[in-house]
Amino acid sequence: KQEVTQIPAALSVPEGENLVLNCSFTDSAIYNLQWFRQDPGKGLTSLLLIQSSQREQTSGRLNASLDKSSGRSTLYIAASQPGDSATYLCAVTLIKAAGNKLTFGGGTRVLVKP
Amino acid sequence: KAGVTQTPRYLIKTRGQQVTLSCSPISGHRSVSWYQQTPGQGLQFLFEYFSETQRNKGNFPGRFSGRQFSNSRSEMNVSTLELGDSALYLCASSSSLSGGGNTQYFGPGTRLTVL
């Protein structure tokens, strides 16, 4: 059974510092891995999707890496801002599951202090 | 392009009642998935519909059911509500061009409270 873990569960950094968020998964037979952002009481916003054949994906200040062999992904957010405060979730799609079923980690709650 | 919409946004029900939630995907998207989010269990997959057929199902009891219409809009129904069904219910749509593993776009969710 695929398990997705995100450590730490919460993180607090001063504004301007780079953020490093970790995600690990137990089954390396994945289609892809997605990173999402969730603001309190709201839905999820897709940040980046990395296909299993890719090593990294970048969008603005965000960079996500994927190491399938070790079952890890890292989301880097450069020069953090108070507006980056949110919960960040990673999720994988398994090849054997087919379709678009996502298995989520528990999330990392981030607070960026001005 | 309009995003994923969910109605209603908030619901309060009592134990034993049933509830129907609605999700309208992004125009052109044929895949709709449903998730339950609770503080204790996090985000858990309920089911996915593609072209009016259930393609994937999570580990939830039969009280949870869904369907998809020809215009790709989807509904989920929960019968005989229990206190533990209180949660944020999220739906997500995707284009499903390659059959799976596509970017998921989430709606704002329906907050269900069972008293």
Side-chain angles (χ1 to χ4, degrees):
Chain A
K1 178 189 167 189
Q2 174 72 281
E3 291 185 3
V4 182
T5 305
Q6 292 183 250
I7 295 173
L11 185 59
S12 179
V13 299
E15 182 178 1
E17 195 165 294
N18 295 334
L19 279 164
V20 180
L21 306 177
N22 299 304
C23 172
S24 61
F25 48 94
T26 54
D27 187 340
S28 62
I30 61 171
Y31 261 134
N32 57 41
L33 182 144
Q34 291 183 237
W35 282 94
F36 294 90
R37 168 189 171 132
Q38 185 175 33
D39 293 289
K42 302 284 181 64
L44 277 64
T45 300
S46 178
L47 297 174
L48 289 168
L49 181 149
I50 314 178
Q51 299 293 353
S52 62
S53 58
Q54 295 177 307
R55 297 283 294 183
E56 65 177 325
Q57 191 70 259
T58 299
S59 175
R61 293 185 296 114
L62 277 57
N63 175 278
S65 66
L66 175 65
D67 184 342
K68 240 179 42 167
S69 60
S70 66
R72 286 188 297 187
S73 176
T74 303
L75 178 66
Y76 301 90
I77 303 177
S80 62
Q81 304 167 358
D84 294 329
S85 298
T87 296
Y88 292 83
L89 297 128
C90 68
V92 298
T93 304
L94 286 180
I95 292 172
K96 63 186 176 187
N100 294 299
K101 175 183 175 181
L102 290 171
T103 302
F104 281 89
T108 296
R109 191 170 65 252
V110 170
L111 175 64
V112 180
K113 294 184 282 190
Chain B
K1 203 180 234 188
V4 178
T5 58
Q6 292 187 245
T7 57
R9 293 294 312 281
Y10 302 91
L11 265 179
I12 299 176
K13 293 285 187 179
T14 56
R15 279 179 298 175
Q17 286 187 309
Q18 77 163 16
V19 66
T20 299
L21 313 181
S22 180
C23 172
S24 293
I26 292 171
S27 178
H29 286 189
R30 293 162 62 193
S31 166
V32 174
S33 300
W34 289 89
Y35 294 84
Q36 181 196 65
Q37 186 175 32
T38 59
Q41 298 297 318
L43 270 154
Q44 293 185 288
F45 173 80
L46 281 155
F47 29 66
E48 179 196 6
Y49 285 87
F50 178 74
S51 293
E52 301 179 64
T53 301
Q54 188 179 86
R55 181 158 69 174
N56 266 309
K57 190 177 189 307
N59 297 322
F60 278 81
R63 299 186 298 107
F64 291 81
S65 63
R67 59 177 176 169
Q68 186 179 34
F69 302 95
S70 58
N71 62 358
S72 293
R73 189 178 71 85
S74 177
E75 290 181 347
M76 68 163 279
N77 183 276
V78 187
S79 62
T80 320
L81 284 166
E82 300 177 0
L83 295 178
D85 296 333
S86 295
L88 181 66
Y89 289 89
L90 294 162
C91 86
S93 76
S94 75
S95 61
S96 204
L97 291 171
S98 61
N102 300 280
T103 299
Q104 301 282 298
Y105 298 90
F106 281 78
T110 294
R111 171 74 63 184
L112 172 65
T113 302
V114 182
L115 302 175

